Amino acid sequence: MRIDILTLFPEMFQSPFSVGIFKRAIDQKLVSVNTHNIRDYTRDTHHTVDDYAYGGGAGMILKPEPIFEAVESMKSDIYSKEGADALPILLLTPQGRLFTQEVTHELSRYRHIILICGRYEGVDERVRQHLVTDEISIGDYVLSGGELAAMVVVDAVVRLLPGVLGSEASPLDDSHTTGLLEYPQYTRPAAYRGWSVPQVLLSGNHAQIAKWRREWSILRTLERRPELLDKANLSLEEKQLIDGRKQS
Ligand code: 6GU
């Protein structure tokens, strides 16, 4: 997968992509992440990227021309005109569609995506109307710019790409993919400061362990995020477990 990021602050993206699974994915060429400075696409001597809002008000607005030109130059570098039509061009903005695990799966199916980091005060509306194909928000709070949100999106999408996680870990088991939160996890030592690991996990009985984990996933979801249970795939027995808990 190829990911292009348009930003005023490309230097923000250096450290997250130079460690861990990201670095490995980039080194193995499973993904290429390219940042582009919007300022490089200005044509005036002052390299102006923003300007006052028509109608007044505080805050500067990102100008349309450098953003359009950056995206267009990228498209013409890579595609014939038709090929670029399906290319997702995503604007990161608090006004966007809420980013969920479903959206990560959706985005992970593209061969190429372009992310445009807005800034909180705003982006000229013509970018929204005539350039971007979708707008994404990572939650109901306000960040000073779209950069951190873009990193969140890229992280969540890249770890789903084939070969990025080791062979054992499967993104299909993730919280929010199963619709349930994760069960409690332990590692050695079996007893620490008198706190013991649940006996069943030491038993070697895989069926019992799977049952214990599934139950804890369900109970933990019930306790912390009950609204997720509506979408989870539960057996009749599991629904009864929940009803039992609700009544007690
Ligand atoms: Cl994508 N951008 C900004 N500036 N703030 C946000 C956001 C994005 N998502 C949540 N808050």
Side-chain angles (χ1 to χ4, degrees):
M1 177 181 227
R2 171 177 172 146
I3 302 176
D4 287 288
I5 303 170
L6 268 62
T7 169
L8 290 174
F9 305 108
E11 64 278 14
M12 282 181 76
F13 291 85
Q14 276 163 18
S15 66
F17 298 150
S18 61
V19 297
I21 67 151
F22 249 118
K23 181 177 179 329
R24 217 184 55 201
I26 292 169
D27 290 348
Q28 295 181 348
K29 302 202 176 352
L30 299 170
V31 64
S32 73
V33 184
N34 315 291
T35 53
H36 308 269
N37 195 330
I38 294 171
R39 203 173 292 279
D40 293 342
Y41 295 86
T42 53
R43 290 170 185 260
D44 62 316
T45 48
H46 293 104
H47 303 291
T48 315
V49 293
D50 55 5
D51 206 336
Y52 297 99
Y54 274 121
M60 302 293 277
I61 308 301
L62 287 182
K63 291 167 67 60
E65 309 95 305
I67 299 178
F68 271 86
E69 294 197 20
V71 170
E72 281 161 6
S73 85
M74 212 172 299
K75 278 190 193 172
S76 65
D77 279 356
I78 311 171
Y79 301 101
S80 62
K81 201 176 175 312
E82 310 82 68
D85 283 349
L87 172 66
I89 301 169
L90 311 172
L91 178 66
L92 282 308
T93 159
Q95 302 176 32
R97 162 162 88 108
L98 192 63
F99 188 61
T100 62
Q101 193 64 15
E102 273 166 34
V103 182
T104 68
H105 285 283
E106 181 189 315
L107 296 181
S108 71
R109 290 184 203 112
Y110 290 100
R111 289 185 46 221
H112 183 193
I113 58 177
I114 295 180
L115 302 177
I116 303 171
C117 302
R119 56 157 67 171
Y120 160 60
E121 297 90 82
V123 177
D124 188 283
E125 186 66 16
R126 288 163 290 192
V127 170
R128 295 204 147 80
Q129 287 183 335
H130 305 295
L131 186 66
V132 311
T133 59
D134 199 1
E135 299 179 39
I136 286 179
S137 161
I138 62 163
D140 292 338
Y141 40 81
V142 175
L143 304 169
S144 50
E147 283 76 12
L148 289 170
M151 291 177 211
V152 167
V153 168
V154 172
D155 185 299
V157 170
V158 167
R159 62 184 292 290
L160 294 181
L161 300 177
V164 169
L165 294 185
S167 55
E168 285 179 30
S170 164
L172 295 178
D173 294 336
D174 289 342
S175 289
H176 301 296
T177 295
T178 60
L180 296 173
L181 301 184
E182 286 253 38
Y183 48 78
Q185 301 266 36
Y186 296 88
T187 185
R188 287 188 282 188
Y192 176 64
R193 298 191 175 183
W195 302 309
S196 297
V197 174
Q199 197 57 42
V200 56
L201 298 180
L202 310 178
S203 70
N205 183 332
H206 296 296
Q208 283 294 320
I209 292 170
K211 181 166 179 284
W212 182 92
R213 287 179 165 169
R214 178 82 184 170
E215 279 182 16
W216 270 97
S217 275
I218 292 169
L219 294 176
R220 186 156 273 191
T221 309
L222 177 64
E223 195 178 284
R224 301 184 181 187
R225 299 289 306 279
E227 78 282 7
L228 296 180
L229 289 171
D230 299 338
K231 281 204 245 162
N233 245 328
L234 301 179
S235 69
L236 184 61
E237 214 172 292
E238 290 168 342
K239 286 181 181 145
Q240 286 166 350
L241 171 73
I242 291 172
D243 291 339
R245 284 296 161 132
K246 281 182 181 162
Q247 279 153 22
S248 62

